[in-house]
């Protein structure tokens, strides 16, 4: 992206078709095999698209609006869209093997003492809750094929100092216990 270095927000790859999806500024784009970009969705000019994931097994693209905090689902087969209330300052998203939507977010940022966490989203009722309390800014997360959760603990300095990122592993059993619990 030759423009603003912060224009490219996120990307995801659909492994079934090797298709690349991007969020650049306020647009959701699909990169075609010939290299051209097809716009799938556009937010108003003063807003930006955010976190991004392809739901495994459901052929669904998830993305957010950083300004309204809404989460959007786009069916990759039919093109149909739906949305639901999200969480402030969500950074990354992935889906557990059971279909639970997990996000990293720092809802109180930039207030002093604000901290990040891993949250489960409740698309039906908007009763999102924190599963894992973390420190530092929100980082990327990934659910592995075995159901474990990987989370990148980052520095609050930008650019991130070399050697300051740690990858934390939460096992599938730990995630199941956190999902069953009422406290982080």
């Amino acid at each position: 992206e030759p423009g603003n270095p912060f224009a490219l927000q996120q990307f995801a790859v659909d492994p079934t078709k090797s298709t690349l999806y991007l969020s650049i500024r306020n647009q959701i784009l699909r990169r075609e095999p010939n290299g051209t970009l097809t716009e799938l969705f556009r937010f108003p000019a003063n807003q930006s698209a955010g976190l991004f994931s392809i739901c495994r097994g459901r052929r669904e693209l998830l993305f957010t609006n950083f300004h309204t905090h809404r989460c959007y689902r786009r069916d990759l087969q039919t093109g149909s869209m739906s949305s639901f209330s999200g969480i402030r300052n969500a950074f990354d998203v992935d889906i557990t093997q059971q279909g639970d939507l997990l996000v990293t977010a720092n809802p109180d940022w930039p207030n002093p003492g604000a901290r990040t966490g891993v949250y489960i989203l409740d698309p039906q009722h908007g009763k999102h809750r924190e599963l894992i309390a973390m420190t530092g800014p929100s980082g990327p997360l990934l659910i592995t094929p075995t159901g474990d959760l990987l989370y990148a603990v980052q520095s609050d300095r930008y650019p991130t100092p070399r050697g300051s990122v740690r990858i934390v592993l939460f096992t599938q059993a730990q995630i199941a216990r956190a999902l069953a619990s009422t406290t982080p």
Side-chain angles (χ1 to χ4, degrees):
E1 174 60 31
N4 180 334
F6 300 105
L8 175 63
Q9 301 291 346
Q10 295 277 358
F11 69 93
V13 176
D14 180 350
T16 62
K17 295 191 175 188
S18 297
T19 304
L20 181 65
Y21 293 87
L22 307 155
S23 64
I24 298 178
R25 294 180 194 85
N26 63 332
Q27 297 175 291
I28 303 299
L29 305 165
R30 179 181 60 226
R31 186 179 186 277
E32 304 299 343
N34 66 3
T36 61
L37 296 173
T38 300
E39 182 178 273
L40 302 178
F41 192 79
R42 179 186 291 257
F43 292 116
N46 62 339
Q47 298 179 7
S48 63
L51 58 93
F52 225 71
S53 185
I54 302 277
C55 292
R56 285 182 287 281
R58 296 203 322 235
R59 304 276 304 131
E60 192 173 66
L61 179 68
L62 293 173
F63 58 96
T64 61
N65 181 313
F66 277 143
H67 295 84
T68 66
H69 317 297
R70 288 197 69 75
C71 290
Y72 294 80
R73 290 178 154 166
R74 180 184 174 97
D75 185 300
L76 295 175
Q77 293 175 329
T78 67
S80 65
M81 295 262 303
S82 64
S83 72
F84 59 93
S85 173
I87 191 166
R88 270 188 90 229
N89 299 321
F91 181 78
D92 201 5
V93 63
D94 208 348
I95 296 88
T96 67
Q97 293 173 329
Q98 295 76 27
D100 296 309
L101 299 174
L102 301 184
V103 300
T104 56
N106 192 332
D108 296 327
W109 182 86
N111 296 328
R115 61 180 179 76
T116 194
V118 176
Y119 292 79
I120 182 169
L121 296 183
D122 176 2
Q124 300 290 36
H125 305 100
K127 295 183 181 187
H128 316 311
R129 67 181 176 90
E130 186 177 31
L131 292 181
I132 303 169
M134 302 297 292
T135 61
S138 297
L141 68 95
L142 173 75
I143 303 292
T144 69
T146 60
D148 298 336
L149 176 116
L150 297 173
Y151 176 80
V153 178
Q154 307 182 81
S155 165
D156 59 358
R157 290 182 32 217
Y158 182 83
T160 303
R162 184 179 283 283
S164 67
V165 175
R166 292 182 304 120
I167 304 297
V168 180
L169 171 93
F170 296 95
T171 66
Q172 181 183 24
Q174 288 173 310
I175 298 302
R177 279 195 305 274
L179 288 167
S181 177
T182 57
T183 59

